[in-house]
Amino acid sequence: MNTPPQPSGKLDYELLCALDSRDYTSQRLLADRLGVSVGKINYCLRAVVDRGWVKVNNFRRADNKWAYAYLLTPSGMSAKLQLARAFLEQKEHEYAQLQWEIQALRDAVSPAESQDMPPPPQEQGEPS
């Protein structure tokens, strides 16, 4: 039995989001938006097409014969959703870990600050 390919990473997610939004006009602009080379975008596009996540349509009647439309397939939408869930879970875990580290640093700094710093200034009218 042939199992469908699983989404693999952040670049796949960003690529699927960019293709879904259709706010690019070329692989070069797509590469610039995602911060990778045009060669890497070409490789990744071929991979998502091979996985069946994206369908490619060529505009044969267009003046620019290199113009393509990349359309997410239903399995591409599903892969994008899987990746979004995985990244959300990862970021929530990172956020919780960061909150714990911040609190640990605050606890470590608090005793030192209370010894080194003078008491906060009192507002006028308060007894000394």
Side-chain angles (χ1 to χ4, degrees):
M1 185 171 193
N2 193 1
T3 60
Q6 297 299 308
S8 59
K10 182 178 180 183
L11 186 56
D12 279 343
Y13 176 68
E14 290 175 346
L15 180 60
L16 292 175
C17 286
L19 294 176
D20 193 29
S21 69
R22 298 184 192 146
D23 63 350
Y24 64 92
T25 56
S26 69
Q27 286 187 14
R28 181 164 308 283
L29 290 175
L30 190 56
D32 288 344
R33 176 180 171 189
L34 300 180
V36 297
S37 70
V38 175
K40 177 93 173 181
I41 285 297
N42 188 279
Y43 174 83
C44 291
L45 282 170
R46 288 177 191 237
V48 294
V49 168
D50 289 345
R51 291 176 186 155
W53 297 347
V54 173
K55 180 181 176 184
V56 181
N57 288 334
N58 184 313
F59 297 110
R60 298 195 187 280
R61 294 185 185 146
D63 293 335
N64 178 5
K65 294 297 183 187
W66 296 103
Y68 291 93
Y70 300 97
L71 306 170
L72 261 61
T73 64
S75 64
M77 293 297 267
S78 175
K80 181 181 154 194
L81 184 59
Q82 272 184 291
L83 285 165
R85 285 181 181 141
F87 283 124
L88 178 59
E89 184 177 320
Q90 176 188 349
K91 294 300 178 187
E92 286 174 338
H93 176 74
E94 289 172 5
Y95 178 71
Q97 181 66 30
L98 188 57
Q99 284 182 314
W100 183 86
E101 289 176 21
I102 288 170
Q103 188 58 49
L105 287 170
R106 282 184 179 147
D107 293 345
V109 169
S110 290
E113 281 183 351
S114 64
Q115 292 173 3
D116 296 338
M117 295 183 67
Q122 296 178 351
E123 291 185 27
Q124 284 203 350
E126 287 186 27
S128 312

